[in-house]
Amino acid sequence: MNKRETLVTSEPVVGRSLPHESAHLHVSGAAPYTDDLPEPAGTLHAALGLSPIAHGKLLGIDVERIRKMPGVVAVFTAADIAGENNCGPLLHDDPILASDELRYVGQPVFAVIATDRELARRAASLAKQVIQAEPLPPVLTALEAHAAGQYVLPPMHLTRGEPAEQLAAAPHRLRGTWSLGGQEQFYLEGQISLALPQEGGDGVLVHCSTQHPSEMQQLVAHALGWQAHRVVVQCRRMGGGFGGKESQSAVFACVAAIAALKLKKPVKLRVDRDDDFLITGRRHGFDYRWDVGFDADGRVLAVDIDLIANAGHSADLSAPVMARALCHFDNAYWLPHVAMHGYCARTNTQSNTAFRGFGGPQGAIAVEMILDGIARRLGVDAAEVRQRNFYAPGRDVTPYGQQVEELHAQPLTAQLLASSRYADRRAEITAFNAGSRVLKKGLAFTPVKFGISFNVAHLNQAGALVHVYTDGSVLVNHGGTEMGQGLNTKVAQVVAHELGLPLSSVRCSATDTSKVANTSATAASTGSDLNGKAAQDAARKIKLRLAALAAERFGCAVELIAFEGGQVSGGGQSVAFCELVAAAYLKRVQLWSDGFYATPGLHWDRTKLQGHPFYYFAWGGAVCEAVVDTLTGESRITRADLLHDVGTSLNPAIDIGQIEGGFIQGMGWLTMEELVWHPVTGLLTTHAPSTYKIPTANDCPTELTVELFGVANASETIHRSKAVGEPPLLLGFAALLAIKDACAACGPTRCDPPLRAPATAEAVLDAIDAVR
């Protein structure tokens, strides 16, 4: 081992469990979010007046009555929008403020601007009294819309082989229907935008809690009737996003900007939690119908399945969500003959949008429910049935035509089942259930295969700027946004590693559309993959310039120059990095650079739903144990063993934290987070923490073990790492199926409890009653 390898190994920057760059600010309450920014003198506050009905024609608004309210400065309606009245990201079918049609309870109809936030909210609360409308019958469920053929975009169909013929010839058939609820993002920091007019009204700066600053820039510009270069959007950090701030931060950014430019004053729009629930969409709920053929060993021969998503009143991101759902129905399994039909139903509810996993969980969980049903009918352990269906050599092409190059399912599963003592615990639980009348236990294993990349190829690009200052410190600006996931920490680690510096020498600045242009959303788990590569590209350009100067100084070849430990060495000589940088400045060597990265090898035919949409797959597995009280329906996950594939981790501590958080969020979606709309009025009745329950620390399994699979990514990613944002959420499948397994212990052998999701106490009791 040479000296360079020794230094890099003993003092690594990449691959170390270094603290989150803002951790000390988070725990002390000192991290400034958008609402913490100092308000300029004269800042006004906005609130939104919301539709009181689910569907109807908008006849008029008594604006004068609102203007007479205390503190009100102005009231704006759709007629006051100079540019395009749209905040929809793809089809431009979602108005900022309703103009002629009311589409759901909670739709923004007008904006009130007042001297104080509370006064603005009080005036906006007059909406029920000042909005004149002609009610029309609403469509409130996806199945109702599907029956009427009412969709936000044409249905999608993905077929391979001869599913109809193979179903007819299959020795066993399984038909079923199932319902899966949506999920509120419940980011701790709510939706907020602060708009400040610039330079005599010729521009606007918008501080926005958003995952997609470039899209906010474009939508604000369109709403103002401006070109994009007059709008700057900044975001230093978010208190969570989970997809809910990818497209749906737009209405708040647009309203704040419109009001600020019309009134020539700063305007802040921060909604409270109830209004946030009522205005914005969330994870799409799905309904399923399937027909499956299988053999005596439980191997799937053919599947025909309908996936019906509740898209809400507009398209938003429903098209790519459904495409990803269809591309993840296979999960970790070889499906030789398959026909999938995706329907995005138009309903009079909030427009559903991105949520961690972006349709992937809704697609993959369907095949897990199917395999669980097959195992129960055959009387075979579900873990064995799953393994028989895994992708394997010669059975390694997905229904959409992409070869699965890393076949990690079987070795990962073997490791997890052994470390979790799956077989022994299965026997222990069977014995426990035989002697327990009230409490029943369940056990389940589920795998994960999750495709990484935006399934729209052109979005897989990123840019970055790296500035080296004359004292040797480094500032990085990239197109990703920090929402607590540790993106800035990982990118800083990449740059520090490249330049041979300690992490303390590198800092990431706020995301800013005036620095890195035309950025993609921080979504699809691509934040580190894309922005890390772009920052590395920029750092390497500077490094090459400095290496040339060092080689000249040391009288050696450039190839011998090494950057490590804050020193630059070569030819038996060395110099401090900061000293070399100062010399480079005097020599007029460029000390800043841009970087760019585009993921290679991606292609996708959105019409045929065929191609190579994902750069690679992330794998994982979970074993969960649950206990159910058969008298009350209450359930608890008592133990979870998680094994997840993050390639060669950039930061193991951050990755483990993401795995833990993703699992708990997935568990919450499937076990307790229930959305309920009033069946007549269409009001979302679960619009506050008092009625919508997310998991807390008390819901965490008593025993939670997380391990990293530890195999380098075969694809050439940043330091051979893998994305970790979304895939772990699918580990929560095992929690639902463990509860289902406990319910099955209440019935006869080979029974299949019809447990719906979320598995609330009521759902559990219904499932138990069905098998008894």
Side-chain angles (χ1 to χ4, degrees):
M1 181 178 288
N2 62 35
K3 181 180 178 182
R4 181 180 180 185
E5 289 172 333
T6 302
L7 285 170
V8 171
T9 303
S10 61
E11 290 290 341
V13 178
V14 165
R16 288 178 62 195
S17 292
L18 297 172
H20 188 290
E21 50 99 23
S22 295
H24 62 294
L25 299 176
H26 291 159
V27 298
S28 64
Y33 295 87
T34 302
D35 199 33
D36 299 314
L37 297 176
E39 295 177 5
T43 296
L44 300 174
H45 296 264
L48 297 171
L50 310 181
S51 169
I53 63 174
H55 191 204
K57 293 181 180 179
L58 179 60
L59 303 178
I61 307 168
D62 187 354
V63 174
E64 290 305 316
R65 181 173 176 183
I66 308 169
R67 285 178 178 149
K68 294 176 182 177
M69 292 291 289
V72 172
V73 174
V75 181
F76 297 123
T77 67
D80 297 299
I81 299 175
E84 183 183 13
N85 183 18
N86 169 68
C87 57
L90 299 179
L91 297 187
H92 292 225
D93 61 345
D94 195 346
I96 299 167
L97 299 174
S99 56
D100 52 6
E101 179 189 17
L102 300 179
R103 301 181 178 181
Y104 67 98
V105 177
Q107 180 181 7
V109 181
F110 60 86
V112 178
I113 318 300
T115 55
D116 174 85
R117 178 174 176 270
E118 186 59 33
L119 294 177
R121 293 190 65 236
R122 288 182 183 178
S125 68
L126 294 176
K128 290 183 180 180
Q129 303 171 43
V130 301
I131 293 174
Q132 295 102 41
E134 177 186 334
L136 296 171
V139 175
L140 299 176
T141 70
L143 289 178
E144 185 182 354
H146 180 55
Q150 185 172 303
Y151 309 115
V152 297
L153 48 96
M156 302 178 186
H157 303 282
L158 199 170
T159 302
R160 173 167 70 182
E162 301 174 333
E165 293 83 349
Q166 294 298 320
L167 277 171
H172 299 277
R173 294 279 284 273
L174 173 67
R175 296 182 177 90
T177 60
W178 194 55
S179 178
L180 172 66
Q183 184 180 21
E184 168 64 32
Q185 290 91 355
F186 217 107
Y187 24 69
L188 294 183
E189 177 200 26
Q191 298 278 6
I192 179 171
S193 287
L194 170 63
L196 298 90
Q198 303 289 295
E199 299 188 30
D202 191 47
V204 64
L205 168 63
V206 182
H207 295 282
C208 181
S209 183
T210 180
Q211 296 171 238
H212 202 344
S214 287
E215 185 170 86
M216 298 307 104
Q217 177 192 32
Q218 292 291 336
L219 290 171
V220 167
H222 292 165
L224 295 172
W226 285 2
Q227 290 181 300
H229 70 287
R230 296 172 67 181
V231 180
V232 175
V233 177
Q234 290 183 1
C235 179
R236 173 62 184 93
R237 60 170 57 84
M238 283 170 280
F242 309 115
K245 295 175 180 175
E246 183 174 342
S247 64
Q248 300 222 343
S249 46
V251 63
F252 310 101
C254 289
V255 168
I258 290 167
L261 269 298
K262 284 188 173 293
L263 299 173
K264 297 180 173 54
K265 287 181 176 291
V267 174
K268 179 188 282 190
L269 173 52
R270 174 171 68 85
V271 291
D272 68 0
R273 187 67 62 179
D274 293 84
D275 285 352
D276 198 327
F277 265 83
L278 291 173
I279 295 169
T280 62
R282 45 199 57 86
R283 185 187 298 281
H284 295 65
F286 270 56
D287 289 277
Y288 308 88
R289 177 217 56 84
W290 56 67
D291 188 353
V292 183
F294 58 98
D295 64 18
D297 292 323
R299 292 185 177 87
V300 175
L301 304 175
V303 184
D304 188 299
I305 183 169
D306 292 339
L307 298 91
I308 305 161
N310 183 349
H313 74 92
S314 69
D316 195 82
L317 296 170
S318 294
V321 165
M322 180 56 75
R324 186 171 280 269
L326 295 173
C327 289
H328 281 74
F329 172 67
D330 62 318
N331 197 17
Y333 310 110
W334 162 250
L335 304 176
H337 302 274
V338 61
M340 292 180 275
H341 315 282
Y343 304 94
C344 295
R346 183 192 300 275
T347 61
N348 293 113
T349 61
Q350 293 81 4
S351 187
N352 288 320
T353 188
F355 194 124
R356 195 177 191 172
F358 201 80
Q362 295 98 309
I365 196 170
V367 77
E368 296 299 339
M369 297 301 293
I370 288 169
L371 290 175
D372 191 78
I374 289 173
R376 295 188 184 283
R377 279 158 177 75
L378 294 176
V380 179
D381 189 278
E384 179 61 32
V385 170
R386 286 183 165 84
Q387 292 177 83
R388 291 173 185 174
N389 282 283
F390 278 164
Y391 279 109
R395 296 154 34 103
D396 57 0
V397 178
T398 67
Y400 47 90
Q402 178 169 343
Q403 184 178 7
V404 182
E405 296 175 350
E406 291 180 314
L407 298 172
H408 287 337
Q410 192 59 61
L412 187 149
T413 297
Q415 181 178 331
L416 176 62
L417 295 184
S419 64
S420 65
R421 297 181 50 254
Y422 180 87
D424 292 342
R425 288 166 61 201
R426 171 63 72 194
E428 293 166 4
I429 286 172
T430 299
F432 173 88
N433 288 337
S436 176
R437 293 185 57 193
V438 175
L439 298 180
K440 298 293 183 180
K441 289 185 178 181
L443 187 69
F445 156 75
T446 55
V448 172
K449 176 182 72 59
F450 195 91
I452 304 299
S453 292
F454 287 98
N455 53 1
V456 177
H458 72 265
L459 297 178
N460 295 283
Q461 58 176 298
L465 295 174
V466 173
H467 293 178
V468 177
Y469 295 100
T470 54
D471 64 354
S473 63
V474 182
L475 183 68
V476 183
N477 186 273
H478 58 85
T481 55
E482 175 64 54
M483 61 192 92
Q485 84 278 37
L487 174 59
N488 284 345
T489 307
K490 287 185 173 182
V491 172
Q493 285 179 271
V494 167
V495 173
H497 174 90
E498 205 62 40
L499 297 177
L501 298 173
L503 185 59
S504 59
S505 294
V506 182
R507 178 174 175 269
C508 287
S509 60
T511 313
D512 188 326
T513 57
S514 67
K515 293 180 180 176
V516 178
N518 310 318
T519 58
S520 296
T522 305
S525 304
T526 60
S528 297
D529 283 9
L530 297 179
N531 296 287
K533 275 285 194 180
Q536 182 187 58
D537 180 46
R540 282 181 172 175
K541 291 175 182 177
I542 300 170
K543 184 178 180 180
L544 285 173
R545 297 178 196 134
L546 292 173
L549 179 63
E552 179 185 342
R553 182 170 180 168
F554 298 151
C556 68
V558 171
E559 293 75 17
L560 297 177
I561 301 299
F563 290 70
E564 53 201 12
Q567 298 285 315
V568 181
S569 59
Q573 303 177 63
S574 69
V575 63
F577 179 84
C578 58
E579 185 179 333
L580 181 64
V581 166
Y585 174 72
L586 296 177
K587 290 280 189 178
R588 295 182 292 179
V589 174
Q590 183 179 337
L591 292 173
W592 63 269
S593 186
D594 64 303
F596 183 76
Y597 176 73
T599 310
L602 304 179
H603 57 89
W604 180 245
D605 186 325
R606 67 175 64 185
T607 303
K608 298 179 181 179
L609 299 182
Q610 292 291 306
H612 192 288
F614 307 120
Y615 191 33
Y616 61 88
F617 296 99
W619 301 80
V623 171
C624 284
E625 183 175 323
V627 61
V628 167
D629 185 326
T630 61
L631 299 180
T632 65
E634 293 174 281
S635 63
R636 172 172 283 278
I637 304 302
T638 55
R639 177 175 170 179
D641 295 82
L642 314 178
L643 178 60
H644 199 73
D645 166 32
V646 297
T648 302
S649 175
L650 293 173
N651 187 315
I654 285 178
D655 286 346
I656 288 172
Q658 286 292 294
I659 294 165
E660 291 172 341
F663 167 73
I664 295 295
Q665 194 168 46
M667 182 189 79
W669 166 44
L670 296 171
T671 64
M672 66 179 66
E673 298 184 41
E674 186 174 30
L675 294 160
V676 179
W677 283 266
H678 191 285
V680 177
T681 66
L683 171 69
L684 177 63
T685 59
T686 51
H687 58 75
S690 58
T691 49
Y692 186 84
K693 296 298 184 182
I694 64 170
T696 67
N698 288 333
D699 299 297
C700 184
T702 307
E703 297 180 70
L704 176 60
T705 302
V706 180
E707 294 185 6
L708 303 181
F709 188 47
V711 177
N713 194 346
S715 299
E716 193 179 339
T717 54
I718 186 71
H719 292 282
R720 300 288 177 170
S721 63
K722 285 190 177 183
V724 73
E726 294 172 298
L729 187 135
L730 283 70
L731 298 171
F733 294 177
L736 174 69
L737 289 169
I739 294 172
K740 182 183 177 185
D741 191 52
C743 293
C746 300
T749 303
R750 300 192 182 188
C751 70
D752 190 6
L755 180 64
R756 62 184 182 271
T760 60
E762 294 85 353
V764 168
L765 287 177
D766 287 345
I768 291 173
D769 288 343
V771 296
R772 277 177 171 168

